[in-house]
Amino acid sequence: MCNHDSVRSSTTRRDFLKGSLVGAGAMASGGLLSSTSASAHASEHSRRDMPAHSGDPGRRVLIRGGHVLSMDSSVGDFERGDVLIEGSRIVAVGADLEASDAEVIDAKGRIVMPGFIDTHHHQFETALRSFLADGIMFDDHTSAGSPNYMDHVLGKLTPVYRPEDVYINELFGSLSQLDAGVTTVMDTSQIHHSPEHSDAAIQGHSDAVRRTVFGYFEGQGDQAQYPKDARRIREQYFSAANGLSQDGLMSMVMGGEIYLPDHEAARTLARDLDLQLAYHVVGSLGMAETFDEMARSGQIDDSHILIHMTGMSDMAWRAVRDAGAHVSLAVPIEMTMRHGKPPLMKTTELGILPSLSSDVECTMSADFFTQMRSTLTLQRMLVNELALQGEEDRPSLLTSHEVIRYATMGGAKGLQLDHKVGSLTPGKEADIILLNAEALNVAPLNNVPGAVVTLMERSNVETVLVAGKIRKWRGLLLGADIPRLRDELIASRDYLFEAADIDRHMFN
Ligand SMILES: [Zn+2]
């Protein structure tokens, strides 16, 4: 066994709290994580034409002359169009908008569209990236000896997390997705071993300055206060009178896994605290039977976020559609980790608008171009196979525009944020990304949704705004000292593997 105590003593809880307070103070003053970072100096030149104080009340910014993909049919799309922002909100979308008092972002050659929305991401696992690239979900005795998610990640690594590990993993994972144009996430944080762990997760999200739905899932060990600490968290951080919901960027969802004994208590708390309830539903480990029973007895409603939905019965699917519950699909993960076939045919047949979710970076990238491309090609493969077999009764082929809808409005509706985000609609919050359509891998631009889904990747995400505030400018993420944070993440990684007594293998 390794010596946990010597590792733990290198970063005490007091150091962590001190660090997080510095972060919070810097954020409040507008300097975010580090005002003296090397990247800040390097970006001085490229920032000269960046609108100042974007997102501040009354501040007007005009995104001018882009290819505008609004994802709102009542607004329409514009081959050459403008988006006018005032403060945190979009006030107009159209061609040749008049706004002489606004600062201008030149969007020539850029696709202007809403930011992506990830409805299920276990961000606390950022330090475990690609550790389980070839792994499956659990040991079903068919892949002898190979590492699996239940035993290695949830069973060994998850229990050793300290609050400071939670903080840096959440923050780094958030900044990485923000850099890739994912402006909203539901963090599926199954890491609430103590109230301090929960506080650290929330602090990490807050310091990242992006739209975040904090998913309060379970923890492990005798200090864990799940699910009852939901009351304190809701009151302290997410009540209307005080806390993070004031600036509108953060909200809360209750996690309530149906395979845990706490499920009933979590459901009751979600109702009492007026929170949505999210849980994994996979057709193994007895979950299909439990879910069938819930469906039969009318226990599913429109506040539920159902993650995966692989291997479910037709009866359960009808209940989900009739209840108006939301379905979150993690297509690449479901395919590679043996969750079962992603139910894209079911959602298409039943007219359910799903969202996309990245799930776990120990096994797959959290980048949304990967999500959209996997979803498009899988659905089309399934339908194309039916066509080749001469089956005339088949769902229609998924299109690039529709899969972008999954990645934007699908997520917004699923998290009940569609009045705020998911499309470029006047009155909504300005969560906007600019994608470089003049890049070597994209030009010449012939079809906007097609280019986004079939050609682009995260290097094309040039500028990112969250609630009108510029968080990435012409290729450079702002307000974060990435080298310093990366060192902290590496230190966390080193501790986690040592404490869990797991060897890492760089080449096999
Ligand atoms: Zn998950």
Side-chain angles (χ1 to χ4, degrees):
M1 290 299 289
C2 63
N3 183 348
H4 295 193
D5 289 338
S6 67
V7 181
R8 280 211 178 92
S9 64
S10 66
T11 315
T12 64
R13 179 164 295 171
R14 188 179 303 160
D15 288 340
F16 157 70
L17 288 171
K18 205 166 59 186
S20 70
L21 285 174
V22 169
M27 186 180 67
S29 67
L32 301 176
L33 301 174
S34 169
S35 57
T36 56
S37 70
S39 60
H41 290 302
S43 70
E44 212 57 47
H45 177 74
S46 62
R47 281 211 231 170
R48 266 201 307 228
D49 57 346
M50 187 178 94
H53 309 290
S54 57
D56 285 2
R59 208 81 193 188
R60 281 157 73 89
V61 171
L62 181 69
I63 301 174
R64 190 166 67 194
H67 311 291
V68 178
L69 176 65
S70 74
M71 300 314 294
D72 180 340
S73 57
S74 68
V75 170
D77 300 323
F78 298 87
E79 193 165 337
R80 197 188 131 79
D82 308 337
V83 179
L84 180 62
I85 301 162
E86 185 172 316
S88 69
R89 285 171 191 265
I90 297 167
V91 292
V93 180
D96 302 315
L97 295 179
E98 187 52 53
S100 53
D101 58 335
E103 289 189 88
V104 172
I105 296 176
D106 179 7
K108 184 173 172 295
R110 272 64 190 158
I111 293 170
V112 180
M113 63 171 284
F116 301 116
I117 298 177
D118 182 346
T119 54
H120 153 231
H121 182 190
H122 302 250
Q123 274 183 210
F124 73 92
E125 296 171 15
T126 304
L128 316 180
R129 280 175 164 172
S130 75
F131 158 65
L132 209 63
D134 304 323
I136 60 172
M137 191 172 36
F138 64 96
D139 181 12
D140 59 7
H141 310 295
T142 62
S143 309
S146 60
N148 68 80
Y149 186 77
M150 289 293 182
D151 291 337
H152 291 79
V153 175
L154 291 186
K156 291 185 176 173
L157 286 154
T158 300
V160 302
Y161 272 70
R162 307 158 299 180
E164 57 264 43
D165 300 304
V166 177
Y167 173 78
I168 188 62
N169 278 260
E170 298 281 9
L171 176 56
F172 206 88
S174 254
L175 291 171
S176 169
Q177 266 200 324
L178 190 55
D179 185 62
V182 183
T183 49
T184 300
V185 73
M186 181 183 84
D187 177 41
T188 312
S189 49
Q190 297 159 308
I191 198 70
H192 301 284
H193 307 336
S194 75
E196 288 75 22
H197 286 74
S198 306
D199 294 342
I202 293 165
Q203 188 68 55
H205 292 309
S206 175
D207 286 357
V209 194
R210 81 165 165 156
R211 202 171 301 279
T212 304
V213 178
F214 169 71
Y216 182 56
F217 285 71
E218 71 277 10
Q220 299 185 36
D222 54 12
Q223 302 297 307
Q225 299 290 313
Y226 174 90
K228 69 174 196 286
D229 200 34
R231 257 180 220 290
R232 174 193 68 90
I233 293 169
R234 176 86 161 91
E235 175 58 29
Q236 184 173 338
Y237 295 106
F238 302 103
S239 64
N242 56 18
L244 296 163
S245 49
Q246 264 185 328
D247 69 1
L249 278 189
M250 286 185 65
S251 54
M252 178 177 176
V253 158
M254 188 77 197
E257 302 293 15
I258 58 176
Y259 55 85
L260 293 178
D262 296 320
H263 175 62
E264 280 301 328
R267 277 169 58 99
T268 305
L269 268 166
R271 254 195 312 271
D272 288 356
L273 300 175
D274 193 24
L275 298 172
Q276 284 183 275
L277 184 74
Y279 47 95
H280 293 82
V281 193
V282 180
S284 49
L285 304 170
M287 273 192 267
E289 293 75 18
T290 309
F291 193 70
D292 265 355
E293 184 49 41
M294 290 174 66
R296 212 175 284 119
S297 55
Q299 294 179 62
I300 298 162
D301 66 48
D302 63 0
S303 72
H304 291 206
I305 298 167
L306 311 170
I307 300 164
H308 301 308
M309 285 292 290
T310 47
M312 293 300 124
S313 69
D314 288 347
M315 182 276 295
W317 270 106
R318 280 192 301 274
V320 167
R321 182 202 50 197
D322 294 347
H326 180 69
V327 176
S328 168
L329 304 178
V331 173
I333 287 292
E334 288 151 9
M335 292 197 289
T336 197
M337 293 185 85
R338 205 172 285 174
H339 290 56
K341 190 164 73 181
L344 286 161
M345 300 291 263
K346 273 285 167 217
T347 52
T348 317
E349 273 169 38
L350 294 170
I352 291 173
L353 174 64
S355 61
L356 304 182
S357 63
S358 59
D359 205 348
V360 288
E361 276 192 301
C362 60
T363 305
M364 190 61 69
S365 164
D367 144 65
F368 253 51
F369 299 97
T370 301
Q371 293 295 324
M372 292 189 293
R373 222 148 25 231
S374 302
T375 303
L376 184 84
T377 51
L378 173 65
Q379 199 271 2
R380 294 178 68 96
M381 182 275 278
L382 294 168
V383 174
N384 285 334
E385 191 59 30
L386 289 177
L388 289 170
Q389 288 165 8
E391 176 64 60
E392 289 186 1
D393 183 22
R394 56 177 195 267
S396 52
L397 284 167
L398 189 59
T399 64
S400 296
H401 191 275
E402 187 64 5
V403 82
I404 294 174
R405 207 158 82 88
Y406 293 7
T408 54
M409 279 306 291
K413 284 177 187 286
L415 299 173
Q416 298 183 352
L417 291 173
D418 50 314
H419 60 294
K420 277 188 160 180
V421 293
S423 62
L424 304 185
T425 304
K428 285 195 182 182
E429 295 277 293
D431 288 10
I432 300 174
I433 58 177
L434 275 69
L435 308 174
N436 184 0
E438 292 180 338
L440 200 54
N441 63 324
V442 182
L445 182 65
N446 295 312
N447 177 274
V448 169
V452 172
V453 177
T454 67
L455 295 174
M456 286 188 165
E457 28 91 347
R458 61 181 297 149
S459 74
N460 300 116
V461 180
E462 202 175 61
T463 295
V464 178
L465 292 85
V466 175
K469 189 175 189 63
I470 297 170
R471 293 291 292 109
K472 181 180 187 179
W473 177 251
R474 300 201 199 279
L476 188 76
L477 189 67
L478 305 179
D481 184 349
I482 301 301
R484 178 173 70 80
L485 297 175
R486 186 172 50 226
D487 286 347
E488 287 180 28
L489 185 68
I490 290 169
S492 171
R493 186 274 315 271
D494 291 347
Y495 157 76
L496 291 168
F497 279 87
E498 189 181 346
D501 200 16
I502 290 180
D503 294 329
R504 288 181 297 111
H505 301 282
M506 288 293 261
F507 296 100
N508 60 9

